[in-house]
């Protein structure tokens, strides 16, 4: 998370969305920067609104004076990136081997995730939960597609008054991955909220109207988000904070 309200933005670092490359480029501009610890680096909107927003307000930065922004990846591509990341050989030898995916096909990984396997579902979470608040399904002001990062670069360059560049980006396709048709259909259904947000970004990077939440299980879902962040703090995501790319 990089808060630069003096430049008109707060960047929330979605996992597997070039967050490390973006962090390296923007950190010198931040008044508040949380990094290294995954639960802080990848602080979601709920965490920001509880802990950072009040600090910014006390410092004289009102919420309407800056945009909260993040990057959002095609959901199946996002899952594939997690599977690849957890399939690293060094992970199999580390103390986190139970999360290792190098010995299971992507199709099996996705089915385990859908079925709530705690090794994957809890610690990985969902992108749609990252951008929401107790009141809104989408609380983040501006969301940029990972596959269209030049839009993000233009936006940030304009805010900062200088040209930024992002290196070592590895955009994986959201199609033609090794998934059976039935698994793909199940995964799209499971990630329906993620796809709803992603597809609404087709005509631009700003969702003009915040969407009120109508789900009756909001409290339970938010509790699961908290559990996921705690799990990530003790799991593979800790390695991600030290990675050199944001793929």
């Amino acid at each position: 998370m990089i808060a630069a309200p003096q430049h008109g933005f707060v960047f929330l670092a979605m996992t597997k969305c070039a967050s490390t490359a973006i962090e390296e480029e923007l950190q010198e501009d931040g008044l508040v920067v949380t990094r290294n610890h995954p639960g802080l680096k990848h602080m979601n909107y709920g965490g920001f609104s509880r802990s950072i927003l009040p600090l910014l307000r006390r410092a004289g930065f009102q919420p309407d004076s800056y945009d909260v922004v993040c990057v959002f990846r095609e959901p199946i591509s996002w899952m594939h990136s997690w599977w690849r990341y957890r399939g690293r050989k060094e992970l199999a030898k580390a103390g986190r081997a139970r999360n290792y995916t190098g010995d299971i096909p992507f199709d099996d990984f996705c089915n385990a995730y859908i079925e709530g396997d705690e090794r994957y579902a809890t610690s990985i979470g969902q992108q749609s939960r990252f951008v929401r608040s107790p009141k809104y399904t989408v609380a983040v002001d501006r969301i940029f597609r990972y596959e269209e990062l030049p839009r993000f670069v233009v936006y940030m360059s304009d805010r900062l008054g200088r040209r930024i560049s992002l290196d070592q980006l590895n955009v994986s396709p959201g199609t033609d991955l090794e998934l059976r048709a039935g698994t793909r259909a199940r995964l799209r259904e499971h990630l329906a909220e993620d796809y709803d947000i992603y597809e609404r970004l087709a005509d631009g990077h700003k969702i003009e109207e915040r969407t009120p939440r109508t789900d009756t299980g909001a409290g339970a879902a938010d509790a699961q988000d908290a559990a996921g962040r705690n799990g990530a703090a003790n799991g593979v995501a800790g390695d991600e904070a030290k990675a050199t790319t944001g793929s």
Side-chain angles (χ1 to χ4, degrees):
M1 191 284 307
I2 298 176
Q6 77 279 22
H7 294 298
F9 73 86
V10 170
F11 170 72
L12 301 182
M14 181 81 76
T15 59
K16 318 316 298 170
C17 288
S19 57
T20 300
I22 293 170
E23 180 183 76
E24 292 297 322
E25 182 66 26
L26 302 181
Q27 62 184 336
E28 296 301 323
D29 300 292
L31 292 182
V32 181
V33 178
T34 60
R35 57 179 306 177
N36 295 325
H37 187 289
L40 296 176
K41 172 179 177 174
H42 298 297
M43 181 182 298
N44 62 18
Y45 184 87
F48 162 76
S49 66
R50 289 189 299 271
S51 58
I52 305 300
L53 189 152
L55 292 176
L56 298 182
R57 181 181 280 123
R58 288 197 292 271
F61 297 102
Q62 298 305 312
D64 60 0
S65 69
Y66 56 83
D67 284 342
V68 179
V69 306
C70 74
V71 178
F72 202 102
R73 191 167 184 159
E74 195 282 329
I76 292 180
S77 173
W78 185 74
M79 289 290 299
H80 192 256
S81 183
W82 268 113
W83 174 74
R84 291 199 329 269
Y85 181 79
R86 289 188 167 183
R88 293 169 297 143
K89 295 295 184 182
E90 58 268 29
L91 186 61
K93 303 175 184 178
R96 305 185 184 96
R98 69 186 301 271
N99 294 324
Y100 178 62
T101 60
D103 56 354
I104 65 170
F106 181 51
D107 194 279
D108 291 353
F109 169 75
C110 289
N111 278 301
Y113 172 84
I114 293 167
E115 291 160 10
D117 189 314
E118 65 177 10
R119 294 174 299 169
Y120 311 128
T122 301
S123 59
I124 291 176
Q126 279 183 235
Q127 293 181 94
S128 56
R129 293 176 181 168
F130 185 91
V131 302
R132 73 186 181 186
S133 71
K135 185 177 180 181
Y136 295 107
T137 300
V138 178
V140 172
D141 299 303
R142 293 181 182 268
I143 302 176
F144 297 83
R145 281 185 171 183
Y146 176 70
E147 295 78 10
E148 299 173 356
L149 275 176
R151 290 177 180 265
F152 177 83
V153 169
V154 169
Y155 172 83
M156 283 297 176
S157 297
D158 181 65
R159 290 291 169 131
L160 295 169
R162 63 178 174 84
R163 177 70 178 177
I164 72 167
S165 61
L166 301 178
D167 299 325
Q168 296 180 301
L169 298 180
N170 180 20
V171 180
S172 299
T175 57
D176 298 326
L177 302 177
E178 48 275 22
L179 278 179
R180 291 175 293 184
T183 302
R184 181 178 294 274
R186 288 186 71 207
L187 190 56
R188 282 193 67 100
E189 181 179 3
H190 188 76
L191 298 175
E193 289 186 19
D194 299 61
Y195 271 105
D196 177 66
I197 294 170
Y198 184 79
E199 289 165 1
R200 289 167 64 190
L201 300 173
D203 297 324
H205 55 261
K206 187 169 185 178
I207 295 178
E208 296 294 343
E209 297 293 334
R210 289 187 173 185
T211 309
R213 284 176 66 176
T214 58
D215 53 309
T216 57
D222 290 337
Q224 185 178 358
D225 291 346
R229 290 193 298 276
N230 292 335
N234 297 309
V236 180
D239 293 337
E240 185 182 66
K242 305 171 187 176
T244 57
T245 72
S247 63

